[in-house]
Amino acid sequence: MSAPRPGYDLDAWRRRIPLLARCIPMNNCSQTPQTDATRAAAERYLESWNSAGMDWDAWMNEVHLAKAEFAALINATADDIAVFSSVSDATSAVASALDFTAGRATVLVSEAEFPTVAHVWLAQERRGANIRWATVRDGVIDPAEYDTRIDERTAVVSACHAYYQNGLIQDIGRIAARARASGALSFVDAYQSLGAVPVDVRALGVDFLASGNLKFLMGIPGVAFLYVRPELVESLRPAATGWFGRLNPFAFDTKTLDWSPTASRFDSGTPPIMNAYVARAGMEIINTVGPVKIRAWHEHLARRLIDGGRERGLTLHGTDEIARKTAVTAFVVRDSHAVEAAMRARGVLPSARGDVLRLAPHFYNSMDDVDTALDVLADVVGSA
Ligand SMILES: Cc1ncc(COP(=O)(O)O)c(C=O)c1O
């Protein structure tokens, strides 16, 4: 059987990532490397700032184009998207639009949420929310957890699409449908899936979906996007707001709190302009390569990581079912940060999290990258 190949020109993409000349980035669940395109985008902003002093219209247009690029990734439109500096801010804005004293007080939060998302929901307790948990057991969440825990008191279900610790993919369509059927909303943190797994918000039927850009979207910190289901927008008034949430931010009317008719009512202050430049360029790469092709290659890489880890005596964390996980593959190690440092010294960038060491390849990684990373990991932990 011939070796699997991605459905795009792997070598051409690799040439656009300077870091590959020095090391093997396998920490894409944490921070993806710089590309020629993202660097050029940052320079475009610097050049505009330097030559024009201020070019507000062009900068605002760039933020709009970044929203449009995010929208294209998830089958939405730019009007369905709000921009933030972080997923934490986006989650807080959503929470601030909900009323937990009007009959539905339960927030069902998955234990697989990145802590920041759970923290935002926990902070709603003083606004009347009751937090309940969908339990992680052996690194996975049984989908039936949601079936039994969602009821007529549930206001919102917060379920990440992919678990940051080991790449477990949750059946978001099923969870959103279950929430909708009992009159609850669904909030999805897709930070660990966007760019790695195709996402169609309309097909999934989710109400909110948030992501930042520095992981599989090839971007940088300091910018995040929120999708709000358009049918819902009119009914929501986030208490966390600002002038960019207005009908016309440039009306400068101090005493009128009107609301943009689109998801931009969730925008607040001056958007992260330079970060939006880079974010758009990163998402353009993902949209060009194509999430379907990326996912297909990730499945091969994940299979190699799981089988190769087993052959080398490494202990997998979470499921070994490729269909239920992203390419992020976690191995249980004794001191993950020491293992990460030792691997870095040998030219492989992994990502430590608690008691696991994550190897997270992306579309530009080769099978050789995976094999080398596994060899180095096995050597460092002494299981080879
Ligand atoms: C799934 C997930 N959600 C949220 C975050 C953090 O979000 P932010 O720092 O943008 O609030 C991370 C990682 O940084 C993550 O992996």
Side-chain angles (χ1 to χ4, degrees):
M1 211 174 72
S2 61
R5 299 277 312 161
Y8 46 85
D9 188 342
L10 185 68
D11 294 331
W13 282 107
R14 287 174 74 86
R15 282 193 291 276
R16 301 182 58 182
I17 300 174
L19 188 62
L20 282 169
R22 292 201 304 281
C23 60
I24 301 175
M26 291 287 279
N27 58 341
N28 295 286
C29 56
S30 203
Q31 168 70 73
T32 38
Q34 195 179 104
T35 61
D36 57 357
T38 40
R39 188 183 186 94
E43 283 167 357
R44 232 165 16 89
Y45 171 73
L46 293 175
E47 183 49 36
S48 157
W49 182 22
N50 201 31
S51 59
M54 182 169 96
D55 191 349
W56 201 252
D57 288 346
W59 295 353
M60 289 302 112
N61 188 46
E62 190 70 30
V63 173
H64 176 78
L65 292 174
K67 285 185 177 183
E69 201 65 46
F70 183 83
L73 196 62
I74 60 170
N75 189 28
T77 70
D79 276 352
D80 307 332
I81 311 298
V83 66
F84 296 88
S85 294
S86 68
V87 164
S88 309
D89 288 351
T91 313
S92 282
V94 170
S96 82
L98 306 182
D99 181 356
F100 301 107
T101 62
R104 287 177 178 264
T106 303
V107 182
L108 179 60
V109 184
S110 96
E111 285 182 354
E113 295 311 286
F114 191 83
T116 199
V117 172
H119 296 163
V120 169
W121 294 122
L122 284 167
Q124 308 310 312
E125 284 182 322
R126 69 169 184 203
R127 295 183 56 233
N130 292 322
I131 310 304
R132 298 282 179 273
W133 301 95
T135 322
V136 175
R137 287 193 187 84
D138 296 328
V140 301
I141 298 184
D142 180 348
E145 283 272 315
Y146 295 94
D147 299 341
T148 54
R149 292 183 198 273
I150 296 171
D151 61 25
E152 71 287 348
R153 283 161 303 180
T154 310
V156 59
V157 181
S158 178
C160 60
H161 192 190
Y163 184 11
Y164 73 95
Q165 199 163 16
N166 62 22
L168 170 75
I169 294 176
Q170 299 209 79
D171 187 344
I172 291 306
R174 171 178 168 161
I175 296 167
R178 179 72 185 83
R180 178 85 52 87
S182 68
L185 297 169
S186 53
F187 175 89
V188 176
D189 174 358
Y191 212 153
Q192 289 289 342
S193 62
L194 276 191
V197 179
V199 170
D200 179 333
V201 284
R202 300 307 284 183
L204 291 172
V206 300
D207 294 313
F208 305 98
L209 181 138
S211 179
N213 287 73
L214 63 149
K215 303 178 195 305
F216 297 97
L217 294 182
M218 308 300 290
I220 53 170
V223 59
F225 298 93
L226 172 72
Y227 160 80
V228 184
R229 191 164 62 82
E231 294 79 2
L232 211 58
V233 164
E234 280 288 334
S235 65
L236 298 167
R237 295 179 171 201
T241 190
W243 60 309
F244 277 83
R246 305 286 71 78
L247 200 53
N248 173 14
F250 299 94
F252 295 108
D253 181 352
T254 309
K255 294 191 175 170
T256 302
L257 184 66
D258 57 14
W259 296 94
S260 157
T262 72
S264 74
R265 68 173 54 197
F266 279 84
D267 291 347
S268 56
T270 306
I273 294 168
M274 180 167 175
N275 302 340
Y277 272 74
V278 178
R280 171 156 87 99
M283 292 186 289
E284 236 170 27
I285 292 174
I286 297 304
N287 280 329
T288 302
V289 179
V292 170
K293 288 180 180 169
I294 292 174
R295 172 65 184 163
W297 184 234
H298 276 199
E299 286 179 356
H300 286 300
L301 298 171
R303 182 81 277 149
R304 186 79 146 224
L305 280 166
I306 291 168
D307 294 346
R310 206 168 270 145
E311 283 158 19
R312 290 165 179 82
L314 298 167
T315 306
L316 182 73
H317 185 275
T319 182
D320 64 357
E321 280 177 59
I322 300 297
R324 290 185 68 202
K325 71 187 291 306
T326 65
V328 176
T329 301
F331 296 103
V332 181
V333 296
R334 214 171 303 123
D335 181 345
S336 62
H337 289 279
V339 173
E340 175 176 329
M343 291 182 73
R344 278 184 166 265
R346 292 179 54 176
V348 177
L349 312 185
S351 176
R353 263 298 170 269
D355 58 359
V356 298
L357 196 286
R358 301 176 297 177
L359 295 181
H362 202 359
F363 73 96
Y364 61 83
N365 284 113
S366 64
M367 284 294 176
D368 285 348
D369 288 348
V370 166
D371 292 345
T372 304
L374 283 170
D375 285 343
V376 171
L377 171 58
D379 210 28
V380 165
V381 300
S383 70

